[in-house]
mmCIF file of all heavy atoms in Angstrom:
data_model
loop_
_atom_site.group_PDB
_atom_site.id
_atom_site.type_symbol
_atom_site.label_atom_id
_atom_site.label_comp_id
_atom_site.label_asym_id
_atom_site.label_seq_id
_atom_site.Cartn_x
_atom_site.Cartn_y
_atom_site.Cartn_z
ATOM 1 N N MET A 1 88.717 136.766 101.986
ATOM 2 C CA MET A 1 90.142 136.525 101.723
ATOM 3 C C MET A 1 90.321 135.331 100.805
ATOM 4 O O MET A 1 89.557 134.379 100.866
ATOM 5 C CB MET A 1 90.892 136.267 103.031
ATOM 6 C CG MET A 1 91.035 137.499 103.912
ATOM 7 S SD MET A 1 92.104 138.743 103.184
ATOM 8 C CE MET A 1 93.709 137.933 103.391
ATOM 9 N N ALA A 2 91.318 135.375 99.975
ATOM 10 C CA ALA A 2 91.636 134.261 99.083
ATOM 11 C C ALA A 2 92.156 133.076 99.885
ATOM 12 O O ALA A 2 92.553 133.218 101.043
ATOM 13 C CB ALA A 2 92.695 134.695 98.073
ATOM 14 N N TYR A 3 92.132 131.927 99.238
ATOM 15 C CA TYR A 3 92.694 130.741 99.865
ATOM 16 C C TYR A 3 94.219 130.751 99.712
ATOM 17 O O TYR A 3 94.757 131.328 98.760
ATOM 18 C CB TYR A 3 92.125 129.490 99.213
ATOM 19 C CG TYR A 3 90.782 129.082 99.781
ATOM 20 C CD1 TYR A 3 89.637 129.839 99.523
ATOM 21 C CD2 TYR A 3 90.647 127.964 100.582
ATOM 22 C CE1 TYR A 3 88.408 129.483 100.039
ATOM 23 C CE2 TYR A 3 89.416 127.592 101.106
ATOM 24 C CZ TYR A 3 88.304 128.352 100.832
ATOM 25 O OH TYR A 3 87.091 127.993 101.360
ATOM 26 N N ALA A 4 94.911 130.103 100.648
ATOM 27 C CA ALA A 4 96.358 129.944 100.573
ATOM 28 C C ALA A 4 96.709 128.513 100.954
ATOM 29 O O ALA A 4 95.985 127.871 101.717
ATOM 30 C CB ALA A 4 97.050 130.921 101.523
ATOM 31 N N ILE A 5 97.793 128.003 100.406
ATOM 32 C CA ILE A 5 98.209 126.622 100.646
ATOM 33 C C ILE A 5 99.351 126.588 101.659
ATOM 34 O O ILE A 5 100.373 127.256 101.492
ATOM 35 C CB ILE A 5 98.635 125.965 99.318
ATOM 36 C CG1 ILE A 5 97.403 125.833 98.403
ATOM 37 C CG2 ILE A 5 99.282 124.598 99.554
ATOM 38 C CD1 ILE A 5 97.710 125.354 96.990
ATOM 39 N N SER A 6 99.162 125.781 102.701
ATOM 40 C CA SER A 6 100.164 125.698 103.772
ATOM 41 C C SER A 6 101.309 124.763 103.393
ATOM 42 O O SER A 6 101.273 124.084 102.364
ATOM 43 C CB SER A 6 99.516 125.183 105.056
ATOM 44 O OG SER A 6 99.299 123.784 104.957
ATOM 45 N N ASP A 7 102.298 124.685 104.270
ATOM 46 C CA ASP A 7 103.455 123.822 104.033
ATOM 47 C C ASP A 7 103.106 122.341 104.129
ATOM 48 O O ASP A 7 103.954 121.487 103.867
ATOM 49 C CB ASP A 7 104.570 124.148 105.036
ATOM 50 C CG ASP A 7 105.202 125.501 104.756
ATOM 51 O OD1 ASP A 7 105.002 126.023 103.640
ATOM 52 O OD2 ASP A 7 105.891 126.030 105.647
ATOM 53 N N GLU A 8 101.875 122.022 104.520
ATOM 54 C CA GLU A 8 101.438 120.625 104.569
ATOM 55 C C GLU A 8 101.315 120.027 103.169
ATOM 56 O O GLU A 8 101.236 118.816 102.997
ATOM 57 C CB GLU A 8 100.088 120.514 105.279
ATOM 58 C CG GLU A 8 100.091 121.011 106.715
ATOM 59 C CD GLU A 8 101.027 120.213 107.591
ATOM 60 O OE1 GLU A 8 100.901 118.979 107.595
ATOM 61 O OE2 GLU A 8 101.892 120.821 108.233
ATOM 62 N N CYS A 9 101.281 120.859 102.154
ATOM 63 C CA CYS A 9 101.099 120.420 100.760
ATOM 64 C C CYS A 9 102.135 119.375 100.361
ATOM 65 O O CYS A 9 103.328 119.553 100.581
ATOM 66 C CB CYS A 9 101.204 121.623 99.829
ATOM 67 S SG CYS A 9 101.159 121.195 98.072
ATOM 68 N N ILE A 10 101.635 118.269 99.763
ATOM 69 C CA ILE A 10 102.520 117.207 99.289
ATOM 70 C C ILE A 10 102.646 117.220 97.759
ATOM 71 O O ILE A 10 103.091 116.251 97.157
ATOM 72 C CB ILE A 10 102.039 115.823 99.778
ATOM 73 C CG1 ILE A 10 100.591 115.567 99.343
ATOM 74 C CG2 ILE A 10 102.168 115.711 101.298
ATOM 75 C CD1 ILE A 10 100.095 114.140 99.632
ATOM 76 N N SER A 11 102.225 118.309 97.154
ATOM 77 C CA SER A 11 102.360 118.508 95.704
ATOM 78 C C SER A 11 101.718 117.412 94.867
ATOM 79 O O SER A 11 102.278 116.979 93.870
ATOM 80 C CB SER A 11 103.841 118.660 95.317
ATOM 81 O OG SER A 11 104.387 119.820 95.903
ATOM 82 N N CYS A 12 100.513 116.992 95.272
ATOM 83 C CA CYS A 12 99.821 115.942 94.514
ATOM 84 C C CYS A 12 99.177 116.490 93.249
ATOM 85 O O CYS A 12 98.922 115.751 92.308
ATOM 86 C CB CYS A 12 98.777 115.261 95.387
ATOM 87 S SG CYS A 12 97.310 116.279 95.721
ATOM 88 N N GLY A 13 98.865 117.779 93.233
ATOM 89 C CA GLY A 13 98.306 118.396 92.045
ATOM 90 C C GLY A 13 96.796 118.340 91.915
ATOM 91 O O GLY A 13 96.233 118.898 90.969
ATOM 92 N N ALA A 14 96.113 117.700 92.849
ATOM 93 C CA ALA A 14 94.659 117.556 92.756
ATOM 94 C C ALA A 14 93.945 118.905 92.757
ATOM 95 O O ALA A 14 92.987 119.120 92.014
ATOM 96 C CB ALA A 14 94.149 116.689 93.898
ATOM 97 N N CYS A 15 94.407 119.821 93.580
ATOM 98 C CA CYS A 15 93.746 121.124 93.665
ATOM 99 C C CYS A 15 93.895 121.917 92.377
ATOM 100 O O CYS A 15 92.940 122.544 91.911
ATOM 101 C CB CYS A 15 94.305 121.914 94.838
ATOM 102 S SG CYS A 15 96.097 122.175 94.744
ATOM 103 N N ALA A 16 95.078 121.875 91.795
ATOM 104 C CA ALA A 16 95.311 122.621 90.557
ATOM 105 C C ALA A 16 94.423 122.108 89.437
ATOM 106 O O ALA A 16 93.875 122.881 88.655
ATOM 107 C CB ALA A 16 96.784 122.529 90.157
ATOM 108 N N ALA A 17 94.233 120.783 89.395
ATOM 109 C CA ALA A 17 93.400 120.189 88.353
ATOM 110 C C ALA A 17 91.941 120.566 88.538
ATOM 111 O O ALA A 17 91.194 120.651 87.565
ATOM 112 C CB ALA A 17 93.563 118.677 88.373
ATOM 113 N N GLY A 18 91.531 120.835 89.777
ATOM 114 C CA GLY A 18 90.136 121.103 90.046
ATOM 115 C C GLY A 18 89.774 122.571 90.167
ATOM 116 O O GLY A 18 88.602 122.905 90.236
ATOM 117 N N CYS A 19 90.757 123.448 90.188
ATOM 118 C CA CYS A 19 90.450 124.875 90.331
ATOM 119 C C CYS A 19 89.778 125.402 89.056
ATOM 120 O O CYS A 19 90.354 125.320 87.976
ATOM 121 C CB CYS A 19 91.721 125.676 90.603
ATOM 122 S SG CYS A 19 91.415 127.458 90.740
ATOM 123 N N PRO A 20 88.562 125.962 89.183
ATOM 124 C CA PRO A 20 87.810 126.411 88.006
ATOM 125 C C PRO A 20 88.395 127.634 87.310
ATOM 126 O O PRO A 20 88.047 127.920 86.163
ATOM 127 C CB PRO A 20 86.415 126.700 88.567
ATOM 128 C CG PRO A 20 86.647 127.007 90.002
ATOM 129 C CD PRO A 20 87.793 126.125 90.428
ATOM 130 N N VAL A 21 89.274 128.353 87.991
ATOM 131 C CA VAL A 21 89.832 129.560 87.376
ATOM 132 C C VAL A 21 91.348 129.477 87.193
ATOM 133 O O VAL A 21 92.009 130.477 86.913
ATOM 134 C CB VAL A 21 89.472 130.816 88.203
ATOM 135 C CG1 VAL A 21 87.965 131.068 88.165
ATOM 136 C CG2 VAL A 21 89.946 130.688 89.640
ATOM 137 N N ASN A 22 91.887 128.261 87.341
ATOM 138 C CA ASN A 22 93.324 128.032 87.147
ATOM 139 C C ASN A 22 94.199 128.961 87.987
ATOM 140 O O ASN A 22 95.189 129.519 87.494
ATOM 141 C CB ASN A 22 93.702 128.171 85.667
ATOM 142 C CG ASN A 22 93.177 127.026 84.819
ATOM 143 O OD1 ASN A 22 93.135 125.878 85.268
ATOM 144 N ND2 ASN A 22 92.743 127.326 83.606
ATOM 145 N N ALA A 23 93.815 129.132 89.234
ATOM 146 C CA ALA A 23 94.565 130.024 90.119
ATOM 147 C C ALA A 23 95.743 129.328 90.795
ATOM 148 O O ALA A 23 96.546 129.972 91.446
ATOM 149 C CB ALA A 23 93.629 130.589 91.193
ATOM 150 N N ILE A 24 95.828 127.984 90.643
ATOM 151 C CA ILE A 24 96.837 127.230 91.383
ATOM 152 C C ILE A 24 97.933 126.725 90.447
ATOM 153 O O ILE A 24 97.660 126.152 89.401
ATOM 154 C CB ILE A 24 96.199 126.029 92.108
ATOM 155 C CG1 ILE A 24 95.006 126.502 92.943
ATOM 156 C CG2 ILE A 24 97.229 125.322 92.993
ATOM 157 C CD1 ILE A 24 94.232 125.374 93.619
ATOM 158 N N SER A 25 99.180 126.946 90.843
ATOM 159 C CA SER A 25 100.305 126.472 90.043
ATOM 160 C C SER A 25 101.349 125.840 90.955
ATOM 161 O O SER A 25 101.355 126.062 92.173
ATOM 162 C CB SER A 25 100.927 127.634 89.257
ATOM 163 O OG SER A 25 101.356 128.646 90.149
ATOM 164 N N GLU A 26 102.237 125.054 90.364
ATOM 165 C CA GLU A 26 103.258 124.375 91.151
ATOM 166 C C GLU A 26 104.379 125.341 91.481
ATOM 167 O O GLU A 26 104.975 125.952 90.610
ATOM 168 C CB GLU A 26 103.804 123.167 90.380
ATOM 169 C CG GLU A 26 104.715 122.300 91.243
ATOM 170 C CD GLU A 26 104.928 120.913 90.640
ATOM 171 O OE1 GLU A 26 104.578 120.709 89.474
ATOM 172 O OE2 GLU A 26 105.450 120.040 91.362
ATOM 173 N N GLY A 27 104.664 125.457 92.775
ATOM 174 C CA GLY A 27 105.722 126.348 93.206
ATOM 175 C C GLY A 27 106.935 125.558 93.651
ATOM 176 O O GLY A 27 107.092 124.402 93.294
ATOM 177 N N ASP A 28 107.756 126.161 94.473
ATOM 178 C CA ASP A 28 108.979 125.524 94.946
ATOM 179 C C ASP A 28 108.682 124.660 96.163
ATOM 180 O O ASP A 28 108.648 125.154 97.286
ATOM 181 C CB ASP A 28 110.002 126.610 95.275
ATOM 182 C CG ASP A 28 111.366 126.024 95.619
ATOM 183 O OD1 ASP A 28 111.560 124.816 95.369
ATOM 184 O OD2 ASP A 28 112.212 126.760 96.136
ATOM 185 N N GLY A 29 108.421 123.373 95.964
ATOM 186 C CA GLY A 29 108.159 122.466 97.067
ATOM 187 C C GLY A 29 106.715 122.318 97.455
ATOM 188 O O GLY A 29 106.358 121.416 98.192
ATOM 189 N N LYS A 30 105.856 123.192 96.975
ATOM 190 C CA LYS A 30 104.421 123.082 97.233
ATOM 191 C C LYS A 30 103.691 123.870 96.161
ATOM 192 O O LYS A 30 104.289 124.647 95.419
ATOM 193 C CB LYS A 30 104.068 123.625 98.618
ATOM 194 C CG LYS A 30 104.302 125.127 98.766
ATOM 195 C CD LYS A 30 103.706 125.658 100.078
ATOM 196 C CE LYS A 30 103.732 127.171 100.097
ATOM 197 N NZ LYS A 30 102.939 127.733 101.205
ATOM 198 N N PHE A 31 102.369 123.652 96.096
ATOM 199 C CA PHE A 31 101.572 124.399 95.143
ATOM 200 C C PHE A 31 101.190 125.751 95.747
ATOM 201 O O PHE A 31 101.141 125.907 96.967
ATOM 202 C CB PHE A 31 100.343 123.585 94.751
ATOM 203 C CG PHE A 31 100.611 122.593 93.641
ATOM 204 C CD1 PHE A 31 101.588 121.615 93.785
ATOM 205 C CD2 PHE A 31 99.918 122.647 92.443
ATOM 206 C CE1 PHE A 31 101.849 120.702 92.766
ATOM 207 C CE2 PHE A 31 100.175 121.731 91.413
ATOM 208 C CZ PHE A 31 101.141 120.765 91.569
ATOM 209 N N VAL A 32 100.949 126.714 94.890
ATOM 210 C CA VAL A 32 100.634 128.063 95.362
ATOM 211 C C VAL A 32 99.387 128.598 94.652
ATOM 212 O O VAL A 32 99.115 128.250 93.504
ATOM 213 C CB VAL A 32 101.815 129.034 95.134
ATOM 214 C CG1 VAL A 32 102.992 128.661 96.024
ATOM 215 C CG2 VAL A 32 102.235 129.056 93.678
ATOM 216 N N ILE A 33 98.649 129.447 95.353
ATOM 217 C CA ILE A 33 97.430 130.053 94.826
ATOM 218 C C ILE A 33 97.676 131.531 94.537
ATOM 219 O O ILE A 33 98.193 132.260 95.383
ATOM 220 C CB ILE A 33 96.274 129.907 95.838
ATOM 221 C CG1 ILE A 33 95.909 128.429 96.009
ATOM 222 C CG2 ILE A 33 95.053 130.712 95.382
ATOM 223 C CD1 ILE A 33 94.908 128.165 97.137
ATOM 224 N N ASP A 34 97.272 131.960 93.335
ATOM 225 C CA ASP A 34 97.340 133.384 92.995
ATOM 226 C C ASP A 34 96.135 134.071 93.643
ATOM 227 O O ASP A 34 94.997 133.859 93.235
ATOM 228 C CB ASP A 34 97.304 133.565 91.486
ATOM 229 C CG ASP A 34 97.265 135.042 91.079
ATOM 230 O OD1 ASP A 34 97.264 135.916 91.970
ATOM 231 O OD2 ASP A 34 97.218 135.301 89.863
ATOM 232 N N PRO A 35 96.362 134.889 94.677
ATOM 233 C CA PRO A 35 95.238 135.487 95.418
ATOM 234 C C PRO A 35 94.397 136.429 94.562
ATOM 235 O O PRO A 35 93.227 136.673 94.871
ATOM 236 C CB PRO A 35 95.922 136.228 96.569
ATOM 237 C CG PRO A 35 97.303 136.483 96.083
ATOM 238 C CD PRO A 35 97.658 135.320 95.191
ATOM 239 N N ASP A 36 94.954 136.964 93.500
ATOM 240 C CA ASP A 36 94.209 137.883 92.647
ATOM 241 C C ASP A 36 93.266 137.144 91.699
ATOM 242 O O ASP A 36 92.341 137.738 91.154
ATOM 243 C CB ASP A 36 95.181 138.750 91.835
ATOM 244 C CG ASP A 36 95.982 139.684 92.727
ATOM 245 O OD1 ASP A 36 95.443 140.121 93.761
ATOM 246 O OD2 ASP A 36 97.148 139.963 92.389
ATOM 247 N N THR A 37 93.541 135.838 91.500
ATOM 248 C CA THR A 37 92.713 135.043 90.593
ATOM 249 C C THR A 37 91.691 134.211 91.355
ATOM 250 O O THR A 37 90.596 133.955 90.869
ATOM 251 C CB THR A 37 93.614 134.111 89.750
ATOM 252 O OG1 THR A 37 94.599 134.894 89.090
ATOM 253 C CG2 THR A 37 92.800 133.349 88.705
ATOM 254 N N CYS A 38 92.034 133.785 92.561
ATOM 255 C CA CYS A 38 91.166 132.929 93.379
ATOM 256 C C CYS A 38 89.807 133.586 93.626
ATOM 257 O O CYS A 38 89.731 134.753 93.992
ATOM 258 C CB CYS A 38 91.856 132.652 94.716
ATOM 259 S SG CYS A 38 90.850 131.699 95.878
ATOM 260 N N THR A 39 88.739 132.804 93.412
ATOM 261 C CA THR A 39 87.383 133.300 93.638
ATOM 262 C C THR A 39 86.802 132.784 94.960
ATOM 263 O O THR A 39 85.613 132.946 95.220
ATOM 264 C CB THR A 39 86.456 132.876 92.488
ATOM 265 O OG1 THR A 39 86.437 131.451 92.402
ATOM 266 C CG2 THR A 39 86.932 133.451 91.153
ATOM 267 N N GLU A 40 87.631 132.116 95.769
ATOM 268 C CA GLU A 40 87.231 131.629 97.083
ATOM 269 C C GLU A 40 86.112 130.598 97.008
ATOM 270 O O GLU A 40 85.241 130.549 97.873
ATOM 271 C CB GLU A 40 86.808 132.803 97.983
ATOM 272 C CG GLU A 40 87.905 133.845 98.118
ATOM 273 C CD GLU A 40 87.408 135.123 98.801
ATOM 274 O OE1 GLU A 40 86.514 135.035 99.645
ATOM 275 O OE2 GLU A 40 87.926 136.202 98.488
ATOM 276 N N CYS A 41 86.145 129.759 95.970
ATOM 277 C CA CYS A 41 85.071 128.775 95.798
ATOM 278 C C CYS A 41 85.202 127.613 96.770
ATOM 279 O O CYS A 41 84.231 126.918 97.055
ATOM 280 C CB CYS A 41 85.074 128.261 94.360
ATOM 281 S SG CYS A 41 86.444 127.138 93.971
ATOM 282 N N GLY A 42 86.431 127.344 97.245
ATOM 283 C CA GLY A 42 86.618 126.280 98.221
ATOM 284 C C GLY A 42 86.866 124.901 97.649
ATOM 285 O O GLY A 42 87.056 123.946 98.400
ATOM 286 N N ALA A 43 86.870 124.770 96.332
ATOM 287 C CA ALA A 43 87.044 123.447 95.714
ATOM 288 C C ALA A 43 88.386 122.822 96.078
ATOM 289 O O ALA A 43 88.474 121.615 96.317
ATOM 290 C CB ALA A 43 86.920 123.564 94.191
ATOM 291 N N CYS A 44 89.423 123.605 96.160
ATOM 292 C CA CYS A 44 90.753 123.072 96.468
ATOM 293 C C CYS A 44 90.784 122.478 97.868
ATOM 294 O O CYS A 44 91.385 121.423 98.097
ATOM 295 C CB CYS A 44 91.809 124.162 96.311
ATOM 296 S SG CYS A 44 91.460 125.690 97.213
ATOM 297 N N ALA A 45 90.132 123.123 98.805
ATOM 298 C CA ALA A 45 90.114 122.626 100.177
ATOM 299 C C ALA A 45 89.372 121.294 100.258
ATOM 300 O O ALA A 45 89.715 120.434 101.062
ATOM 301 C CB ALA A 45 89.457 123.655 101.096
ATOM 302 N N GLU A 46 88.356 121.121 99.402
ATOM 303 C CA GLU A 46 87.567 119.890 99.429
ATOM 304 C C GLU A 46 88.332 118.701 98.864
ATOM 305 O O GLU A 46 88.177 117.581 99.331
ATOM 306 C CB GLU A 46 86.259 120.085 98.655
ATOM 307 C CG GLU A 46 85.281 121.000 99.375
ATOM 308 C CD GLU A 46 83.967 121.145 98.625
ATOM 309 O OE1 GLU A 46 83.650 120.273 97.800
ATOM 310 O OE2 GLU A 46 83.272 122.142 98.868
ATOM 311 N N VAL A 47 89.154 118.924 97.845
ATOM 312 C CA VAL A 47 89.842 117.799 97.209
ATOM 313 C C VAL A 47 91.199 117.490 97.842
ATOM 314 O O VAL A 47 91.737 116.400 97.661
ATOM 315 C CB VAL A 47 90.039 118.032 95.688
ATOM 316 C CG1 VAL A 47 88.689 118.203 95.008
ATOM 317 C CG2 VAL A 47 90.953 119.200 95.426
ATOM 318 N N CYS A 48 91.766 118.404 98.588
ATOM 319 C CA CYS A 48 93.104 118.198 99.136
ATOM 320 C C CYS A 48 93.133 117.071 100.178
ATOM 321 O O CYS A 48 92.369 117.097 101.136
ATOM 322 C CB CYS A 48 93.610 119.499 99.757
ATOM 323 S SG CYS A 48 95.280 119.302 100.445
ATOM 324 N N PRO A 49 94.030 116.092 100.008
ATOM 325 C CA PRO A 49 94.100 114.967 100.942
ATOM 326 C C PRO A 49 94.725 115.319 102.296
ATOM 327 O O PRO A 49 94.588 114.554 103.246
ATOM 328 C CB PRO A 49 94.976 113.939 100.197
ATOM 329 C CG PRO A 49 95.842 114.768 99.315
ATOM 330 C CD PRO A 49 94.982 115.931 98.884
ATOM 331 N N VAL A 50 95.389 116.460 102.391
ATOM 332 C CA VAL A 50 96.043 116.808 103.650
ATOM 333 C C VAL A 50 95.534 118.126 104.246
ATOM 334 O O VAL A 50 96.090 118.640 105.216
ATOM 335 C CB VAL A 50 97.586 116.879 103.467
ATOM 336 C CG1 VAL A 50 98.144 115.513 103.101
ATOM 337 C CG2 VAL A 50 97.969 117.926 102.431
ATOM 338 N N GLY A 51 94.472 118.677 103.661
ATOM 339 C CA GLY A 51 93.892 119.893 104.231
ATOM 340 C C GLY A 51 94.773 121.114 104.168
ATOM 341 O O GLY A 51 94.701 121.981 105.034
ATOM 342 N N ALA A 52 95.589 121.195 103.120
ATOM 343 C CA ALA A 52 96.544 122.304 103.048
ATOM 344 C C ALA A 52 95.924 123.653 102.667
ATOM 345 O O ALA A 52 96.348 124.676 103.199
ATOM 346 C CB ALA A 52 97.677 121.955 102.080
ATOM 347 N N PRO A 53 94.934 123.694 101.760
ATOM 348 C CA PRO A 53 94.386 125.009 101.398
ATOM 349 C C PRO A 53 93.423 125.514 102.486
ATOM 350 O O PRO A 53 92.567 124.778 102.961
ATOM 351 C CB PRO A 53 93.605 124.746 100.104
ATOM 352 C CG PRO A 53 94.050 123.386 99.631
ATOM 353 C CD PRO A 53 94.389 122.641 100.893
ATOM 354 N N ALA A 54 93.580 126.764 102.875
ATOM 355 C CA ALA A 54 92.683 127.359 103.853
ATOM 356 C C ALA A 54 92.575 128.841 103.566
ATOM 357 O O ALA A 54 93.473 129.435 102.981
ATOM 358 C CB ALA A 54 93.199 127.136 105.272
ATOM 359 N N GLN A 55 91.463 129.413 103.991
ATOM 360 C CA GLN A 55 91.298 130.844 103.794
ATOM 361 C C GLN A 55 92.252 131.592 104.715
ATOM 362 O O GLN A 55 92.284 131.352 105.918
ATOM 363 C CB GLN A 55 89.845 131.269 104.059
ATOM 364 C CG GLN A 55 89.052 131.333 102.765
ATOM 365 C CD GLN A 55 87.621 131.770 102.962
ATOM 366 O OE1 GLN A 55 86.980 131.295 103.873
ATOM 367 N NE2 GLN A 55 87.146 132.623 102.105
ATOM 368 N N ALA A 56 93.012 132.493 104.121
ATOM 369 C CA ALA A 56 94.043 133.210 104.871
ATOM 370 C C ALA A 56 93.409 134.298 105.740
ATOM 371 O O ALA A 56 92.329 134.755 105.462
ATOM 372 C CB ALA A 56 95.059 133.839 103.920
HETATM 373 FE FE1 SF4 B 101 90.807 127.879 92.920
HETATM 374 FE FE2 SF4 B 101 88.554 127.871 94.314
HETATM 375 FE FE3 SF4 B 101 90.827 127.100 95.483
HETATM 376 FE FE4 SF4 B 101 90.471 129.660 94.866
HETATM 377 S S1 SF4 B 101 89.273 128.477 96.390
HETATM 378 S S2 SF4 B 101 92.312 128.481 94.471
HETATM 379 S S3 SF4 B 101 89.269 129.521 92.979
HETATM 380 S S4 SF4 B 101 89.773 126.057 93.785
HETATM 381 FE FE1 SF4 B 102 99.049 120.314 97.756
HETATM 382 FE FE2 SF4 B 102 96.622 119.650 98.646
HETATM 383 FE FE3 SF4 B 102 96.928 120.840 96.289
HETATM 384 FE FE4 SF4 B 102 97.678 118.330 96.604
HETATM 385 S S1 SF4 B 102 95.564 119.085 96.726
HETATM 386 S S2 SF4 B 102 98.839 119.951 95.546
HETATM 387 S S3 SF4 B 102 98.473 118.372 98.714
HETATM 388 S S4 SF4 B 102 97.389 121.738 98.318
#
């Protein structure tokens, strides 16, 4: 399953900058992951300061 970002997201942008396939974009109040683009590499979960990205 692709990764998804929870409501814990504080919109810091670290995950989007680190995603190797540019699957993450800024949404309404939090960042969002395009599940069709995500390769499940886990990089976003590693850099997130609040643990918002998780495998759905
Ligand atoms: Fe991008 Fe990897 Fe996170 Fe998927 S798991 S959104 S490919 S950084
Ligand atoms: Fe949100 Fe975490 Fe991404 Fe920052 S790194 S934008 S807090 S999901």
Side-chain angles (χ1 to χ4, degrees):
M1 290 293 288
Y3 276 71
I5 294 173
S6 76
D7 290 344
E8 300 298 307
C9 174
I10 56 173
S11 296
C12 72
C15 58
C19 178
V21 294
N22 289 324
I24 308 175
S25 58
E26 189 163 12
D28 187 12
K30 66 170 190 169
F31 276 58
V32 292
I33 294 172
D34 176 0
D36 294 328
T37 305
C38 176
T39 59
E40 303 170 31
C41 73
C44 52
E46 289 182 21
V47 300
C48 180
V50 296
Q55 264 181 316

